[in-house]
Amino acid sequence: MEPEEIYAKKAEMFRTAIDKQADEEIALSAKEIRSRKSAAGKAKAQQALSDTLSKVRAERSAYETKFKKELSRCGFQTTKAVRAHRKELIDGFFEELKGELAGFAQSDKYSDYLKRSLAKAGKELGRDFVVLCAPKDAERLKKLTAHEVREEISIIIGGISALDEQNGLYADFTLDSALESERGAFTDKPELRL
């Protein structure tokens, strides 16, 4: 059952209880009015009934306002909790994915990935570029390319970046940026929005 339906049912039950209380108070006041026979007694009874009705209406309005505020607060708290849980799940998923990428960077297939990245960098930047890599990959890359290899401490997981210093061009083939790009695309999916 949806929260709106639950809240609507509770609001209806609340209104019914208020109406029942109002009916009981009206019946009691009506009984008192009938017991009075004089015109002055009837006038006073009418005023008492009017005052009672005003009081009941004011109480009903105050309770409805309080109920709406509580529903709003509960809705906000629920949304906040859902978003926090969703963030926790996404963070856990991407931490696990980061671990898998770190494992890939230790595998035999990683050298092939670096070769493909070097080829892509050559296509995008031409012949003259500098290779930027994680400190752990520097020696491996020096064996794979004739280009200058520089260590870049911002690359944690692995992969390369390529820099054409003469033309100011840059290409990023790091696993770090690929993971961040996927994370951004993942959270932007409409299915995951609240």
Side-chain angles (χ1 to χ4, degrees):
M1 188 178 286
E2 294 294 319
E4 291 81 19
E5 293 174 3
I6 293 170
Y7 298 146
K9 284 185 178 182
K10 287 184 179 181
E12 187 58 38
M13 289 171 35
F14 181 75
R15 285 188 191 103
T16 303
I18 293 291
D19 289 343
K20 182 180 176 184
Q21 180 184 355
D23 290 342
E24 289 171 359
E25 289 184 23
I26 290 170
L28 183 64
S29 294
K31 185 177 179 181
E32 288 177 23
I33 291 173
R34 284 187 217 109
S35 67
R36 297 181 189 185
K37 295 183 179 180
S38 69
K42 287 182 181 180
K44 286 182 182 179
Q46 190 65 29
Q47 183 61 40
L49 178 62
S50 178
D51 291 345
T52 302
L53 285 174
S54 295
K55 181 180 174 185
V56 168
R57 287 185 187 122
E59 286 178 3
R60 178 179 178 177
S61 178
Y63 281 119
E64 283 179 347
T65 301
K66 184 177 178 181
F67 187 72
K68 286 177 185 176
K69 284 182 183 179
E70 185 63 19
L71 285 178
S72 177
R73 186 191 65 76
C74 288
F76 175 75
Q77 291 295 338
T78 302
T79 300
K80 184 178 171 182
V82 167
R83 286 184 176 159
H85 183 67
R86 182 182 68 178
K87 181 184 182 317
E88 185 179 303
L89 291 175
I90 290 171
D91 288 347
F93 172 74
F94 277 95
E95 276 304 311
E96 186 178 317
L97 193 56
K98 184 178 178 180
E100 289 178 19
L101 287 173
F104 169 72
Q106 301 299 319
S107 73
D108 295 333
K109 295 179 182 179
Y110 183 58
S111 290
D112 292 335
Y113 174 77
L114 291 174
K115 288 177 188 175
R116 287 193 306 274
S117 296
L118 288 167
K120 287 180 188 176
K123 286 180 184 176
E124 288 189 25
L125 302 179
R127 295 182 183 192
D128 190 25
F129 62 88
V130 176
V131 177
L132 306 173
C133 67
K136 66 178 178 64
D137 294 335
E139 291 305 315
R140 184 186 295 200
L141 278 162
K142 286 178 183 176
K143 294 176 186 174
L144 296 176
T145 185
H147 294 282
E148 178 186 352
V149 176
R150 294 183 194 162
E151 294 181 4
E152 176 60 48
I153 61 170
S154 67
I155 301 173
I156 308 292
I157 303 171
I160 67 162
S161 294
L163 176 64
D164 179 351
E165 294 176 316
Q166 289 180 341
N167 297 317
L169 299 175
Y170 179 79
D172 189 345
F173 304 105
T174 63
L175 296 173
D176 303 73
S177 64
L179 182 65
E180 283 307 310
S181 175
E182 284 302 312
R183 184 184 186 106
F186 186 81
T187 56
D188 285 343
K189 291 185 181 206
E191 303 88 38
L192 297 174
R193 291 193 189 130
L194 195 57

